Amino acid sequence: MQIEQDDAAVINLDPEEARGFMRNHKEGTYTILDVRQPGEYEKARIPGAKLVPLPELVDRLGELDPQRPVIAY
Amino acid sequence: MLAGKGFRKAYNLNGGIRAWNGHTAAGPYDMGMTYLRGDEDAREIIGLAYGMEEGLRGFYMAVGERTEDKEVADLARKLSGIEDRHKKRLFDLYLTLDSGLDGREAFESRIVNNVMEGGSTTEEFLERNREFMKTSPDLLNIAMMLETQALDLYMRYSEKLRDEKGKDVLFGLAEEEKGHLESLGRLMDKRV
């Protein structure tokens, strides 16, 4: 499954599509972004997800590589 | 928000974590992070990962030795063999970065190996999970959980580490864990 996007709009992925994306892309070439609170992150997260709680996202955008695809949840 | 801030490709996971039906990792962000200072080079990262793979290999060996179930013992042997192959690949990678190394023994003598992938010691983990390793599906579940935690740990390490080559090593290790998880899933499917 190949999911590509040419414009800057956000695309919704179903879990199966997201899993396909992760299968087809090497680790380090995309970011999984967990925008929930730390307590939720600790209970269960997609392995390898980067935690940036939504209230902090604007101030911490510099930690993310804008050239890499980001899958947020 | 991301799309308006110059991010070229931004995706939203429909339904969030509640809808997610893949593997999940758990635990605080800093779990297992004390083993990494952040200023290691790629060779040190390989050494660290080698120790973890050895810890996990030792764990599977210990499971195999303690069980009376032949199927569990066979599976434990197979899983420890996979960790052996991971170690061999890490050593080969190390050799590409340190041609002056005096053999695998010299390399192994520098390794701290009482930590498993995921950050627990072998004995701690065996003790905590004794009840969940009685059948081969149990052991497969434990193996998948360990590989998931390892994938997550390697990616958290990659955030903390500053050395770019070292980061690439970690991404490669996380990618291997991803592949290993898929093989374990197929093995589990065959049994169900």
Side-chain angles (χ1 to χ4, degrees), chain A residues 4 8 10-15 19 22-23 25-27 30 36 42 44-45 47-48 50 66-67 69-70 72, chain B residues 3 7-14 17 19-21 23-29 152 155-156 159 175 178 182:
Chain A
E4 293 300 340
V10 173
I11 283 192
N12 288 313
L13 295 183
D14 288 330
R19 286 172 64 178
M22 293 170 199
R23 235 187 339 262
H25 291 75
K26 289 199 180 305
E27 292 295 331
Y30 61 90
R36 301 170 302 152
E42 287 178 18
R45 60 181 173 272
K50 178 179 176 63
Q67 298 304 315
V70 177
Chain B
F7 282 78
R8 288 188 55 233
K9 293 180 180 177
Y11 301 101
N12 174 58
L13 178 65
N14 271 342
I17 197 76
W20 177 249
N21 52 1
H23 298 286
T24 55
Y29 175 82
D152 188 70
M155 292 306 286
R156 282 183 286 128
E159 277 191 51
E175 191 60 29
K178 205 160 76 175
E182 282 188 24

Side-chain angles (χ1 to χ4, degrees), chain A residues 37-67:
Chain A
Q37 292 303 300
E40 296 171 290
Y41 166 92
E42 287 178 18
K43 277 184 195 153
R45 60 181 173 272
I46 299 177
K50 178 179 176 63
L51 173 67
V52 183
L54 200 54
E56 301 171 21
L57 187 55
V58 171
D59 293 334
R60 295 178 57 190
L61 274 181
E63 294 176 26
L64 305 172
D65 181 350
Q67 298 304 315

Side-chain angles (χ1 to χ4, degrees), chain B residues 10 144 163:
Chain B
M144 285 197 271
D163 181 74

Side-chain angles (χ1 to χ4, degrees), chain B residues 22-189:
Chain B
H23 298 286
T24 55
Y29 175 82
D30 57 3
M31 188 173 72
M33 296 294 275
T34 49
Y35 301 105
L36 189 85
R37 299 184 309 271
D39 63 353
E40 288 88 347
D41 63 18
R43 288 177 304 179
E44 289 173 282
I45 292 300
I46 292 171
L48 184 66
Y50 191 95
M52 289 186 186
E53 303 285 351
E54 169 55 21
L56 190 51
R57 190 198 66 83
F59 162 73
Y60 289 133
M61 291 291 286
V63 170
E65 282 161 13
R66 292 178 193 198
T67 185
E68 288 174 11
D69 184 312
K70 185 181 177 305
E71 208 175 305
V72 171
D74 287 346
L75 178 62
R77 198 173 313 112
K78 185 175 181 169
L79 292 169
S80 72
I82 292 171
E83 299 307 324
D84 250 341
R85 288 197 288 281
H86 282 184
K87 280 171 56 190
K88 168 78 167 57
R89 269 202 294 280
L90 282 168
F91 179 64
D92 290 344
L93 183 60
Y94 190 93
L95 286 178
T96 66
L97 301 172
D98 186 355
S99 52
L101 184 72
D102 197 15
R104 191 158 171 177
E105 238 173 70
F107 170 70
E108 287 188 339
S109 68
R110 303 175 196 169
I111 307 294
V112 178
N113 67 358
N114 65 337
V115 178
M116 289 166 48
E117 287 177 308
S120 309
T121 67
T122 308
E123 281 306 318
E124 281 169 359
F125 193 83
L126 264 173
E127 203 45 52
R128 274 204 310 272
N129 293 282
R130 192 176 301 281
E131 282 306 302
F132 309 108
M133 289 183 283
K134 288 184 172 164
T135 68
S136 53
D138 286 348
L139 183 55
L140 273 175
N141 271 322
I142 290 275
M144 285 197 271
M145 184 273 283
L146 286 168
E147 301 300 337
T148 303
Q149 290 296 125
L151 195 169
D152 188 70
L153 182 66
Y154 286 142
M155 292 306 286
R156 282 183 286 128
Y157 276 3
S158 75
E159 277 191 51
K160 186 174 174 183
L161 192 70
R162 294 190 283 279
D163 181 74
E164 288 301 323
K165 253 190 189 170
K167 279 181 195 274
D168 285 343
V169 169
L170 288 167
F171 292 146
L173 286 163
E175 191 60 29
E176 267 194 24
E177 300 300 354
K178 205 160 76 175
H180 193 180
L181 268 170
E182 282 188 24
S183 329
L184 290 172
R186 283 194 295 273
L187 214 53
M188 184 67 113
D189 287 345

